[in-house]
């Protein structure tokens, strides 16, 4: 195992023993759903930088893989939707974290009559070598974990997610990103990496790594401020750097003829005289109706004078004509 991963395990083992609210900057509230009660310690151990799965994304038949169980909050939320043994699999290499999560699930069962601890299968394993068979999950998720990896390990972790997902399976991921590559003095700091500060990729490179791993469709759902790194605290910087949290849904499906379909929230709107417009590739737009389009489609459609293409909103939630 790489030396920096030893540091990561130490940091998270301590965070399991003594919950650390400063370990990550969680920016999204927990699910507020009927009959869902979250144990206090589970809330205190909510180590993440954003949201992964939306409740509307899940079906009762899904098999959900969660990488990096933390205190078990997200696994409990997923179990709310699946409610069956084997419905949620949570993989974590840190013994102390799995132990605390198991205790939290026992408390969750006391608070929630619908929940049983066996709804979540806790597995000892690494994101770099998932102890699971190929094509076994329909959904996978991770929250603020993959940014701790160096690029070779990140590529391996993404390859593992792609391996265990079924065709057209969905990967929901949330990680910090940086507007420009951080200086080596920061990226080589193992504790800063473990604290989700110095392992960030740029937005463009993050998306490229997802598509290169085999995700033919990528939907960016949010980009929000995460943490400001200031030279007064990090003298390796010559100016403040605002890290963002990016939330992405990546689907294991083949690329289109244009390559990977990356959706950033752009809309195409036909404004011509006829009721509808059909493109050379068969794509269909109805007059005045905004339709979500990929970056490749946006580039094609901008050539037509009677089609308006909007700027990215970074809030894409499926759909689209092309």
């Amino acid at each position: 195992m790489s030396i920096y991963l030893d540091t990561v395990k130490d940091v998270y083992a301590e965070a399991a023993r003594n919950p650390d609210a400063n370990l990550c900057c969680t920016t999204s509230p927990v699910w507020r759903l009927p009959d869902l009660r979250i144990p206090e310690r589970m809330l205190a151990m909510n180590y993440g930088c954003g949201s992964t799965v939306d409740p509307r994304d899940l079906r009762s038949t899904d098999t959900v893989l969660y990488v990096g169980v933390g205190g078990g909050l997200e696994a409990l939320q997923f179990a709310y939707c699946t409610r069956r043994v084997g419905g949620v699999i949570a993989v974590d290499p840190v013994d102390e974290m799995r132990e605390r999560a198991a205790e939290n699930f026992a408390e969750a069962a006391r608070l929630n009559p619908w929940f049983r601890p066996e709804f979540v299968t806790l597995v000892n394993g690494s994101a770099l070598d998932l102890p699971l068979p190929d094509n076994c999950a329909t959904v996978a998720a991770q929250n603020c974990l993959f940014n701790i990896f160096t690029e070779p390990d990140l590529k391996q972790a993404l390859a593992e997610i792609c391996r265990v997902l079924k065709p057209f399976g969905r990967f929901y991921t949330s990680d910090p990103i940086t507007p420009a590559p951080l200086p080596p003095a920061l990226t080589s700091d193992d504790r800063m990496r473990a604290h989700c500060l110095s392992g960030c990729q740029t937005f463009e490179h993050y998306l490229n790594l997802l598509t290169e791993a085999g995700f033919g469709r990528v939907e960016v759902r949010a980009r929000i401020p995460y943490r400001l790194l200031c030279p007064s605290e990090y003298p390796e910087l010559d100016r403040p750097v605002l890290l963002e949290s990016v939330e992405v849904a990546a689907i294991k499906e083949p690329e289109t003829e244009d390559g990977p379909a990356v959706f950033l929230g752009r809309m195409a709107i036909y404004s011509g005289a006829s009721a509808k417009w059909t493109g050379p590739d068969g794509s269909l737009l109805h007059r005045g109706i905004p339709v979500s389009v990929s970056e490749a489609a946006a580039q094609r459609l901008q050539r037509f004078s009677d089609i308006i293409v909007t700027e990215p909103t970074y809030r894409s939630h499926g759909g689209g004509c092309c």
Side-chain angles (χ1 to χ4, degrees), residues 51-93:
S51 295
T52 56
V53 182
D54 185 283
R56 295 168 295 180
D57 294 323
L58 290 177
R59 303 162 297 199
S60 61
T61 55
D62 276 321
T63 298
V64 185
L65 165 65
Y66 190 55
V67 184
V69 67
L73 171 62
E74 291 205 70
L76 175 65
Q77 293 179 154
F78 303 156
Y80 181 92
C81 297
T82 57
R83 302 198 185 198
R84 71 178 194 281
V85 175
V88 180
I89 304 165
V91 175
D92 202 296

Side-chain angles (χ1 to χ4, degrees), residues 72-199:
L73 171 62
E74 291 205 70
L76 175 65
Q77 293 179 154
F78 303 156
Y80 181 92
C81 297
T82 57
R83 302 198 185 198
R84 71 178 194 281
V85 175
V88 180
I89 304 165
V91 175
D92 202 296
V94 181
D95 296 340
E96 293 87 346
M97 199 64 80
R98 294 195 312 277
E99 291 167 4
R100 295 294 85 73
E103 294 171 0
N104 291 344
F105 291 139
E107 175 64 8
R110 188 185 70 79
L111 296 174
N112 297 276
W114 59 267
F115 178 70
R116 292 158 47 194
E118 55 266 35
F119 287 175
V120 180
T121 304
L122 285 167
V123 178
N124 179 15
S126 166
L128 305 181
D129 186 18
L130 293 169
L132 300 171
D134 297 355
N135 305 317
C136 66
T138 56
V139 172
Q142 72 84 28
N143 195 338
C144 205
L145 170 64
F146 281 22
N147 75 97
I148 68 173
F149 295 131
T150 59
E151 184 163 323
D153 286 346
L154 175 55
K155 289 182 176 180
Q156 177 64 22
L158 292 172
E160 280 292 278
I161 290 288
C162 207
R163 177 183 66 80
V164 302
L165 275 177
K166 293 182 178 181
F168 299 96
R170 295 153 287 147
F171 177 40
Y172 300 95
T173 175
S174 178
D175 275 310
I177 54 173
T178 176
L182 295 173
L186 293 185
T187 59
S188 62
D189 186 314
D190 293 344
R191 291 197 68 83
M192 280 194 68
R193 185 175 288 274
H195 281 264
C196 305
L197 292 175
S198 68

Side-chain angles (χ1 to χ4, degrees), residues 114-313:
W114 59 267
F115 178 70
R116 292 158 47 194
E118 55 266 35
F119 287 175
V120 180
T121 304
L122 285 167
V123 178
N124 179 15
S126 166
L128 305 181
D129 186 18
L130 293 169
L132 300 171
D134 297 355
N135 305 317
C136 66
T138 56
V139 172
Q142 72 84 28
N143 195 338
C144 205
L145 170 64
F146 281 22
N147 75 97
I148 68 173
F149 295 131
T150 59
E151 184 163 323
D153 286 346
L154 175 55
K155 289 182 176 180
Q156 177 64 22
L158 292 172
E160 280 292 278
I161 290 288
C162 207
R163 177 183 66 80
V164 302
L165 275 177
K166 293 182 178 181
F168 299 96
R170 295 153 287 147
F171 177 40
Y172 300 95
T173 175
S174 178
D175 275 310
I177 54 173
T178 176
L182 295 173
L186 293 185
T187 59
S188 62
D189 186 314
D190 293 344
R191 291 197 68 83
M192 280 194 68
R193 185 175 288 274
H195 281 264
C196 305
L197 292 175
S198 68
C200 309
Q201 306 291 334
T202 64
F203 175 68
E204 293 78 10
H205 192 50
Y206 188 83
L207 297 187
N208 287 341
L209 290 171
L210 285 166
T211 58
E212 289 170 4
F215 295 100
R217 181 185 178 103
V218 174
E219 301 168 4
V220 176
R221 293 188 162 187
R223 283 181 67 174
I224 50 182
Y226 169 67
R227 188 82 65 89
L228 183 68
L229 304 184
C230 300
S232 58
E233 187 176 4
Y234 304 102
E236 299 89 346
L237 299 172
D238 58 8
R239 68 192 66 175
V241 175
L242 179 61
L243 305 181
E244 292 180 297
S245 173
V246 62
E247 300 172 9
V248 174
I251 296 86
K252 180 183 172 181
E253 64 178 53
E255 296 182 1
T256 68
E257 292 183 359
D258 293 323
V262 177
F263 289 79
L264 302 184
R266 289 187 193 269
M267 295 284 181
I269 311 167
Y270 170 57
S271 62
S274 59
K276 60 183 179 181
W277 176 88
T278 302
D281 61 350
S283 55
L284 178 65
L285 297 175
H286 292 273
R287 185 177 55 211
I289 306 299
V291 176
S292 177
V293 291
S294 68
E295 289 300 283
Q299 188 172 13
R300 286 200 316 272
L301 294 171
Q302 283 172 337
R303 295 178 295 151
F304 299 94
S305 60
D306 51 4
I307 294 178
I308 299 167
V309 178
T310 65
E311 293 299 310
T313 63

